[in-house]
PDB file of all heavy atoms in Angstrom:
ATOM      1  N   LYS A  64      35.202 -54.496 -54.551  1.00 87.00           N
ATOM      2  CA  LYS A  64      35.091 -55.507 -53.499  1.00 87.00           C
ATOM      3  C   LYS A  64      35.352 -56.922 -54.016  1.00 87.00           C
ATOM      4  O   LYS A  64      35.589 -57.828 -53.229  1.00 87.00           O
ATOM      5  CB  LYS A  64      33.695 -55.459 -52.860  1.00 87.00           C
ATOM      6  CG  LYS A  64      33.320 -54.126 -52.240  1.00 87.00           C
ATOM      7  CD  LYS A  64      34.201 -53.808 -51.044  1.00 87.00           C
ATOM      8  CE  LYS A  64      33.653 -52.641 -50.230  1.00 87.00           C
ATOM      9  NZ  LYS A  64      33.521 -51.392 -51.001  1.00 87.00           N
ATOM     10  N   PHE A  65      35.310 -57.121 -55.343  1.00 88.00           N
ATOM     11  CA  PHE A  65      35.492 -58.491 -55.837  1.00 88.00           C
ATOM     12  C   PHE A  65      36.345 -58.615 -57.108  1.00 88.00           C
ATOM     13  O   PHE A  65      36.923 -59.675 -57.345  1.00 88.00           O
ATOM     14  CB  PHE A  65      34.136 -59.167 -56.078  1.00 88.00           C
ATOM     15  CG  PHE A  65      33.226 -58.446 -57.027  1.00 88.00           C
ATOM     16  CD1 PHE A  65      33.226 -58.742 -58.379  1.00 88.00           C
ATOM     17  CD2 PHE A  65      32.332 -57.481 -56.565  1.00 88.00           C
ATOM     18  CE1 PHE A  65      32.384 -58.083 -59.252  1.00 88.00           C
ATOM     19  CE2 PHE A  65      31.468 -56.830 -57.428  1.00 88.00           C
ATOM     20  CZ  PHE A  65      31.495 -57.122 -58.782  1.00 88.00           C
ATOM     21  N   ILE A  66      36.472 -57.557 -57.894  1.00 88.00           N
ATOM     22  CA  ILE A  66      37.273 -57.652 -59.117  1.00 88.00           C
ATOM     23  C   ILE A  66      38.735 -58.018 -58.841  1.00 88.00           C
ATOM     24  O   ILE A  66      39.315 -58.844 -59.556  1.00 88.00           O
ATOM     25  CB  ILE A  66      37.195 -56.346 -59.925  1.00 88.00           C
ATOM     26  CG1 ILE A  66      35.799 -56.168 -60.526  1.00 88.00           C
ATOM     27  CG2 ILE A  66      38.241 -56.321 -61.039  1.00 88.00           C
ATOM     28  CD1 ILE A  66      35.441 -57.160 -61.603  1.00 88.00           C
ATOM     29  N   PRO A  67      39.391 -57.419 -57.804  1.00 85.00           N
ATOM     30  CA  PRO A  67      40.789 -57.785 -57.555  1.00 85.00           C
ATOM     31  C   PRO A  67      41.010 -59.287 -57.364  1.00 85.00           C
ATOM     32  O   PRO A  67      42.057 -59.814 -57.749  1.00 85.00           O
ATOM     33  CB  PRO A  67      41.127 -57.006 -56.265  1.00 85.00           C
ATOM     34  CG  PRO A  67      40.224 -55.825 -56.317  1.00 85.00           C
ATOM     35  CD  PRO A  67      38.941 -56.328 -56.904  1.00 85.00           C
ATOM     36  N   GLU A  68      40.031 -59.985 -56.797  1.00 83.00           N
ATOM     37  CA  GLU A  68      40.155 -61.432 -56.611  1.00 83.00           C
ATOM     38  C   GLU A  68      40.102 -62.172 -57.950  1.00 83.00           C
ATOM     39  O   GLU A  68      40.619 -63.284 -58.078  1.00 83.00           O
ATOM     40  CB  GLU A  68      39.035 -61.952 -55.701  1.00 83.00           C
ATOM     41  CG  GLU A  68      39.032 -61.375 -54.296  1.00 83.00           C
ATOM     42  CD  GLU A  68      40.218 -61.857 -53.472  1.00 83.00           C
ATOM     43  OE1 GLU A  68      40.870 -62.835 -53.873  1.00 83.00           O
ATOM     44  OE2 GLU A  68      40.482 -61.247 -52.422  1.00 83.00           O
ATOM     45  N   MET A  69      39.480 -61.561 -58.939  1.00 85.00           N
ATOM     46  CA  MET A  69      39.284 -62.224 -60.225  1.00 85.00           C
ATOM     47  C   MET A  69      40.437 -62.001 -61.195  1.00 85.00           C
ATOM     48  O   MET A  69      40.609 -62.774 -62.143  1.00 85.00           O
ATOM     49  CB  MET A  69      37.994 -61.722 -60.871  1.00 85.00           C
ATOM     50  CG  MET A  69      36.755 -61.931 -60.037  1.00 85.00           C
ATOM     51  SD  MET A  69      35.292 -61.177 -60.773  1.00 85.00           S
ATOM     52  CE  MET A  69      35.020 -62.249 -62.174  1.00 85.00           C
ATOM     53  N   GLU A  70      41.203 -60.939 -60.986  1.00 82.00           N
ATOM     54  CA  GLU A  70      42.293 -60.641 -61.901  1.00 82.00           C
ATOM     55  C   GLU A  70      43.246 -61.827 -61.995  1.00 82.00           C
ATOM     56  O   GLU A  70      43.528 -62.510 -61.025  1.00 82.00           O
ATOM     57  CB  GLU A  70      43.060 -59.397 -61.442  1.00 82.00           C
ATOM     58  CG  GLU A  70      42.282 -58.106 -61.574  1.00 82.00           C
ATOM     59  CD  GLU A  70      42.080 -57.666 -63.017  1.00 82.00           C
ATOM     60  OE1 GLU A  70      42.614 -58.317 -63.930  1.00 82.00           O
ATOM     61  OE2 GLU A  70      41.374 -56.670 -63.225  1.00 82.00           O
ATOM     62  N   ASN A  71      43.770 -62.033 -63.201  1.00 76.00           N
ATOM     63  CA  ASN A  71      44.704 -63.136 -63.489  1.00 76.00           C
ATOM     64  C   ASN A  71      44.062 -64.516 -63.338  1.00 76.00           C
ATOM     65  O   ASN A  71      44.752 -65.509 -63.119  1.00 76.00           O
ATOM     66  CB  ASN A  71      45.960 -63.046 -62.609  1.00 76.00           C
ATOM     67  CG  ASN A  71      46.696 -61.737 -62.815  1.00 76.00           C
ATOM     68  OD1 ASN A  71      46.869 -61.281 -63.954  1.00 76.00           O
ATOM     69  ND2 ASN A  71      47.113 -61.113 -61.729  1.00 76.00           N
ATOM     70  N   THR A  72      42.734 -64.584 -63.425  1.00 81.00           N
ATOM     71  CA  THR A  72      42.038 -65.867 -63.478  1.00 81.00           C
ATOM     72  C   THR A  72      41.119 -65.838 -64.694  1.00 81.00           C
ATOM     73  O   THR A  72      40.798 -64.768 -65.224  1.00 81.00           O
ATOM     74  CB  THR A  72      41.190 -66.133 -62.219  1.00 81.00           C
ATOM     75  OG1 THR A  72      40.012 -65.319 -62.261  1.00 81.00           O
ATOM     76  CG2 THR A  72      41.975 -65.847 -60.939  1.00 81.00           C
ATOM     77  N   ASP A  73      40.664 -67.000 -65.121  1.00 86.00           N
ATOM     78  CA  ASP A  73      39.757 -67.050 -66.266  1.00 86.00           C
ATOM     79  C   ASP A  73      38.401 -66.440 -65.945  1.00 86.00           C
ATOM     80  O   ASP A  73      37.630 -66.112 -66.859  1.00 86.00           O
ATOM     81  CB  ASP A  73      39.578 -68.503 -66.731  1.00 86.00           C
ATOM     82  CG  ASP A  73      40.729 -68.938 -67.634  1.00 86.00           C
ATOM     83  OD1 ASP A  73      41.414 -68.054 -68.182  1.00 86.00           O
ATOM     84  OD2 ASP A  73      40.943 -70.146 -67.779  1.00 86.00           O
ATOM     85  N   LEU A  74      38.107 -66.278 -64.663  1.00 88.00           N
ATOM     86  CA  LEU A  74      36.834 -65.661 -64.297  1.00 88.00           C
ATOM     87  C   LEU A  74      36.738 -64.228 -64.806  1.00 88.00           C
ATOM     88  O   LEU A  74      35.645 -63.755 -65.133  1.00 88.00           O
ATOM     89  CB  LEU A  74      36.644 -65.679 -62.778  1.00 88.00           C
ATOM     90  CG  LEU A  74      36.106 -66.970 -62.165  1.00 88.00           C
ATOM     91  CD1 LEU A  74      36.038 -66.855 -60.649  1.00 88.00           C
ATOM     92  CD2 LEU A  74      34.729 -67.308 -62.730  1.00 88.00           C
ATOM     93  N   ILE A  75      37.865 -63.521 -64.892  1.00 90.00           N
ATOM     94  CA  ILE A  75      37.819 -62.139 -65.381  1.00 90.00           C
ATOM     95  C   ILE A  75      37.407 -62.109 -66.844  1.00 90.00           C
ATOM     96  O   ILE A  75      36.728 -61.182 -67.301  1.00 90.00           O
ATOM     97  CB  ILE A  75      39.175 -61.411 -65.159  1.00 90.00           C
ATOM     98  CG1 ILE A  75      38.998 -59.886 -65.282  1.00 90.00           C
ATOM     99  CG2 ILE A  75      40.238 -61.901 -66.128  1.00 90.00           C
ATOM    100  CD1 ILE A  75      38.160 -59.274 -64.202  1.00 90.00           C
ATOM    101  N   ASN A  76      37.790 -63.144 -67.591  1.00 92.00           N
ATOM    102  CA  ASN A  76      37.359 -63.229 -68.986  1.00 92.00           C
ATOM    103  C   ASN A  76      35.865 -63.499 -69.073  1.00 92.00           C
ATOM    104  O   ASN A  76      35.146 -62.863 -69.855  1.00 92.00           O
ATOM    105  CB  ASN A  76      38.135 -64.338 -69.713  1.00 92.00           C
ATOM    106  CG  ASN A  76      39.607 -64.020 -69.828  1.00 92.00           C
ATOM    107  OD1 ASN A  76      39.990 -62.915 -70.186  1.00 92.00           O
ATOM    108  ND2 ASN A  76      40.452 -64.983 -69.496  1.00 92.00           N
ATOM    109  N   LEU A  77      35.384 -64.444 -68.268  1.00 91.00           N
ATOM    110  CA  LEU A  77      33.954 -64.754 -68.263  1.00 91.00           C
ATOM    111  C   LEU A  77      33.139 -63.524 -67.886  1.00 91.00           C
ATOM    112  O   LEU A  77      32.081 -63.262 -68.472  1.00 91.00           O
ATOM    113  CB  LEU A  77      33.664 -65.896 -67.285  1.00 91.00           C
ATOM    114  CG  LEU A  77      34.228 -67.272 -67.653  1.00 91.00           C
ATOM    115  CD1 LEU A  77      33.935 -68.277 -66.544  1.00 91.00           C
ATOM    116  CD2 LEU A  77      33.646 -67.754 -68.975  1.00 91.00           C
ATOM    117  N   LEU A  78      33.632 -62.762 -66.907  1.00 93.00           N
ATOM    118  CA  LEU A  78      32.913 -61.559 -66.483  1.00 93.00           C
ATOM    119  C   LEU A  78      32.887 -60.515 -67.600  1.00 93.00           C
ATOM    120  O   LEU A  78      31.853 -59.888 -67.848  1.00 93.00           O
ATOM    121  CB  LEU A  78      33.562 -60.969 -65.232  1.00 93.00           C
ATOM    122  CG  LEU A  78      32.852 -59.739 -64.654  1.00 93.00           C
ATOM    123  CD1 LEU A  78      31.478 -60.113 -64.120  1.00 93.00           C
ATOM    124  CD2 LEU A  78      33.678 -59.089 -63.552  1.00 93.00           C
ATOM    125  N   THR A  79      34.014 -60.327 -68.275  1.00 94.00           N
ATOM    126  CA  THR A  79      34.074 -59.355 -69.369  1.00 94.00           C
ATOM    127  C   THR A  79      33.109 -59.720 -70.481  1.00 94.00           C
ATOM    128  O   THR A  79      32.397 -58.857 -71.014  1.00 94.00           O
ATOM    129  CB  THR A  79      35.507 -59.250 -69.920  1.00 94.00           C
ATOM    130  OG1 THR A  79      36.382 -58.803 -68.878  1.00 94.00           O
ATOM    131  CG2 THR A  79      35.586 -58.266 -71.079  1.00 94.00           C
ATOM    132  N   TYR A  80      33.056 -60.997 -70.834  1.00 95.00           N
ATOM    133  CA  TYR A  80      32.122 -61.431 -71.882  1.00 95.00           C
ATOM    134  C   TYR A  80      30.678 -61.226 -71.422  1.00 95.00           C
ATOM    135  O   TYR A  80      29.819 -60.826 -72.215  1.00 95.00           O
ATOM    136  CB  TYR A  80      32.354 -62.901 -72.244  1.00 95.00           C
ATOM    137  CG  TYR A  80      33.771 -63.219 -72.663  1.00 95.00           C
ATOM    138  CD1 TYR A  80      34.360 -64.452 -72.353  1.00 95.00           C
ATOM    139  CD2 TYR A  80      34.537 -62.287 -73.368  1.00 95.00           C
ATOM    140  CE1 TYR A  80      35.659 -64.737 -72.732  1.00 95.00           C
ATOM    141  CE2 TYR A  80      35.849 -62.571 -73.743  1.00 95.00           C
ATOM    142  CZ  TYR A  80      36.400 -63.796 -73.418  1.00 95.00           C
ATOM    143  OH  TYR A  80      37.691 -64.079 -73.788  1.00 95.00           O
ATOM    144  N   TRP A  81      30.426 -61.486 -70.146  1.00 94.00           N
ATOM    145  CA  TRP A  81      29.077 -61.272 -69.612  1.00 94.00           C
ATOM    146  C   TRP A  81      28.702 -59.792 -69.687  1.00 94.00           C
ATOM    147  O   TRP A  81      27.586 -59.441 -70.102  1.00 94.00           O
ATOM    148  CB  TRP A  81      28.996 -61.763 -68.164  1.00 94.00           C
ATOM    149  CG  TRP A  81      27.612 -61.638 -67.587  1.00 94.00           C
ATOM    150  CD1 TRP A  81      26.626 -62.575 -67.604  1.00 94.00           C
ATOM    151  CD2 TRP A  81      27.058 -60.479 -66.939  1.00 94.00           C
ATOM    152  NE1 TRP A  81      25.485 -62.086 -67.003  1.00 94.00           N
ATOM    153  CE2 TRP A  81      25.711 -60.804 -66.594  1.00 94.00           C
ATOM    154  CE3 TRP A  81      27.556 -59.227 -66.618  1.00 94.00           C
ATOM    155  CZ2 TRP A  81      24.880 -59.912 -65.934  1.00 94.00           C
ATOM    156  CZ3 TRP A  81      26.712 -58.317 -65.973  1.00 94.00           C
ATOM    157  CH2 TRP A  81      25.401 -58.666 -65.630  1.00 94.00           C
ATOM    158  N   VAL A  82      29.624 -58.920 -69.280  1.00 96.00           N
ATOM    159  CA  VAL A  82      29.369 -57.478 -69.295  1.00 96.00           C
ATOM    160  C   VAL A  82      29.105 -57.005 -70.729  1.00 96.00           C
ATOM    161  O   VAL A  82      28.162 -56.244 -70.978  1.00 96.00           O
ATOM    162  CB  VAL A  82      30.550 -56.704 -68.683  1.00 96.00           C
ATOM    163  CG1 VAL A  82      30.417 -55.198 -68.955  1.00 96.00           C
ATOM    164  CG2 VAL A  82      30.641 -56.959 -67.187  1.00 96.00           C
TER     165      VAL A  82
END
Side-chain angles (χ1 to χ4, degrees):
K64 301 294 192 301
F65 57 92
I66 290 292
E68 298 291 345
M69 302 174 71
E70 291 289 355
N71 301 317
T72 74
D73 278 340
L74 277 177
I75 197 67
N76 294 314
L77 293 176
L78 183 66
T79 299
Y80 304 146
W81 183 91
V82 168

